[in-house]
């Protein structure tokens, strides 16, 4: 130990000086993850291939049916979530485009001087505001 003399500075394990103690839940082991629906279905199907007593087979078939229903619900919700997010993006972009056009027409309306042009701009503005309400 040529540099620093770390051997001399070492303190007994139980008497740690100047170090933080571990929090209340640090030493606990994490809970094992529950197997996915797909894995549960596969394991039950494997079990059903074996020779089983009728009451066990009946219980496993009922469990398999319930798991398949859960998986179907999960898949349907995933598709609905995907469609919802896609539609939300589209609505956002459409709303931005319409708001931009409205601002442009309002600015044009403030600067214009012709009566015929004002009527045309007001007409376009009312249509755009209806479109905006539809998108919202």
């Amino acid at each position: 130990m040529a540099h620093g003399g770390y051997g001399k500075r070492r303190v007994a394990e139980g008497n740690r000086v100047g170090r933080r103690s571990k929090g209340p839940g640090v030493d606990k082991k994490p809970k094992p993850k529950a197997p996915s629906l797909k894995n549960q279905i596969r394991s039950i199907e494997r079990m059903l291939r074996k020779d089983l007593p009728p009451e066990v087979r009946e219980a496993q078939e009922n469990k398999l049916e319930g798991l398949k229903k859960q998986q179907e619900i999960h898949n349907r919700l995933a598709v609905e979530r995907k469609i919802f997010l896609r539609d939300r993006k589209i609505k956002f972009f459409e709303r931005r485009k319409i708001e931009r056009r409205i601002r442009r027409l309002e600015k044009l309306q403030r600067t214009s001087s012709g009566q015929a042009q004002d009527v045309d701009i007001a007409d376009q503005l009312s249509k755009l505001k209806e479109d905006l309400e539809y998108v919202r």
Side-chain angles (χ1 to χ4, degrees):
M1 292 196 217
H3 302 289
Y6 288 109
K8 296 176 189 173
R9 297 166 88 188
R10 213 174 257 163
V11 183
E13 281 297 314
N15 191 12
R16 289 186 169 170
V17 178
R19 293 195 178 164
R20 286 189 200 164
S21 64
K22 293 183 178 179
V26 175
D27 291 335
K28 294 181 181 177
K29 293 181 181 176
K31 291 182 181 178
K33 290 172 84 175
S36 67
L37 287 173
K38 187 176 180 181
N39 283 345
Q40 290 179 33
I41 289 171
R42 287 180 63 218
S43 66
I44 290 175
E45 285 174 344
R46 279 192 215 109
M47 186 187 296
L48 288 174
R49 284 188 219 134
K50 299 176 183 177
D51 289 332
L52 296 172
E55 61 274 356
V56 174
R57 178 174 289 279
E58 180 88 22
Q60 292 300 321
E61 285 174 350
N62 290 339
K63 188 175 178 182
L64 179 66
E65 191 175 313
L67 287 173
K68 284 189 177 182
K69 284 181 184 175
Q70 278 184 342
Q71 187 181 32
E72 184 181 318
I73 290 169
H74 181 75
N75 290 340
R76 185 170 36 83
L77 287 175
V79 168
E80 287 176 5
R81 192 177 315 116
K82 184 178 174 183
I83 291 171
F84 171 76
L85 291 175
R86 184 190 63 210
D87 288 351
R88 188 170 68 176
K89 263 197 282 192
I90 292 170
K91 282 169 58 174
F92 172 75
F93 291 125
E94 289 297 318
R95 182 175 55 83
R96 293 280 302 269
K97 287 192 321 191
I98 293 171
E99 288 171 348
R100 217 177 287 132
R101 286 184 197 146
I102 288 175
R103 279 197 305 270
R104 193 178 308 135
L105 283 175
E106 285 174 344
K107 185 178 179 184
L108 189 66
Q109 191 177 29
R110 284 193 301 267
T111 60
S112 72
S113 59
Q115 282 286 341
Q117 199 177 20
D118 277 347
V119 172
D120 188 38
I121 291 173
D123 203 28
Q124 288 178 0
L125 267 173
S126 66
K127 286 180 183 175
L128 284 174
K129 287 181 180 178
E130 285 176 17
D131 291 345
L132 185 62
E133 287 301 315
Y134 177 77
V135 169
R136 281 189 181 152

